[in-house]
Amino acid sequence: MNRKYLIAGNWKMNKTPDEAAALIEEIKPLVKDATCSVVVGVPFVDLPAALTATKGTAIGVAAQNCYWEKSGAFTGEVSADMLRAMGVQYVILGHSERRTYFGDTDHTVQKRVRGALDAGLTVILCVGETLEQREEGITTEVVAMQTKIALGGVSAEEMSRVVIAYEPVWAIGTGRTATAQQANEVCAHIRDVLSGLYGAETADQALIQYGGSMNAGNAAELLAQPDVDGGLIGGASLKAADFATIVAAAK
Ligand code: 13P
């Protein structure tokens, strides 16, 4: 096992381009000695500013969604090829907010994953159960299904450009974090699912993050779990010092 942690901020619909550049300037000196990979996931309109501000640093830039077609009559959409052409390296796909508010399904997530990989992007694929599903005892089934459908058609080789983010919906933006044990249990289960799909070696190399109210106070314990290879951070990624504390905890 030789996995490098990935700490990614998901800024969601926050920060104008000027604000994004300013926050990255604040983050830069705080994470310059990071031993993990660091990514900021910004709104589409902030991508040029983020790419400029991170130039010459090890900080990667992620978009928060993309469409699967390369171009055409799809008003309001942005293609994976467009992102790649501007220098974006990562895209967050299948986030529960996309699934809940914007109609993403396992099958449209699968198409987005395909489009993103074909364009050369690295995908941060989000999966996770709702509170109701956890209480019904079907967490592992739900997460396995989301993972398997989203990865339909993805090869073992392409898995080096797929990161899975386990984000229990009930933990997102609620301040209610999964316990370190709960997080590890589901991340380990996702690794088992990957092992079934691609074999043990690919599964062992895959990066599986936890996301959901991860913050400066709880990150170290979550990241110390053997199957948790990083974090996808919402609220706490908008505060440079908190984000840097989480980055420092990823070692
Ligand atoms: P919070 O860290 O704000 O709970 O958000 C998590 C998340 O949705 C990251 O994608």
Side-chain angles (χ1 to χ4, degrees), residues 140 143-145 147-148 151 186-199 203:
T140 53
V143 167
M145 186 177 75
T147 304
K148 285 183 182 176
L151 295 179
V186 182
C187 289
H189 175 68
I190 293 170
R191 204 176 300 286
D192 281 347
V193 169
L194 297 180
S195 183
L197 292 173
Y198 299 108

Side-chain angles (χ1 to χ4, degrees), residues 10 12 95 97 167 171-174 211-214 232-235:
N10 175 6
K12 309 192 178 184
H95 192 279
E97 287 148 19
E167 298 209 306
I172 295 176
T174 58
S213 298
M214 193 188 271
L232 185 56
I233 328 299

Side-chain angles (χ1 to χ4, degrees), residues 77-95:
E77 289 301 304
V78 172
S79 76
D81 292 71
M82 289 169 172
L83 296 174
R84 190 67 195 138
M86 69 189 295
V88 172
Q89 307 103 318
Y90 294 85
V91 63
I92 299 168
L93 293 175
H95 192 279

Side-chain angles (χ1 to χ4, degrees), residues 7 70 217:
I7 300 296
K70 290 179 181 300

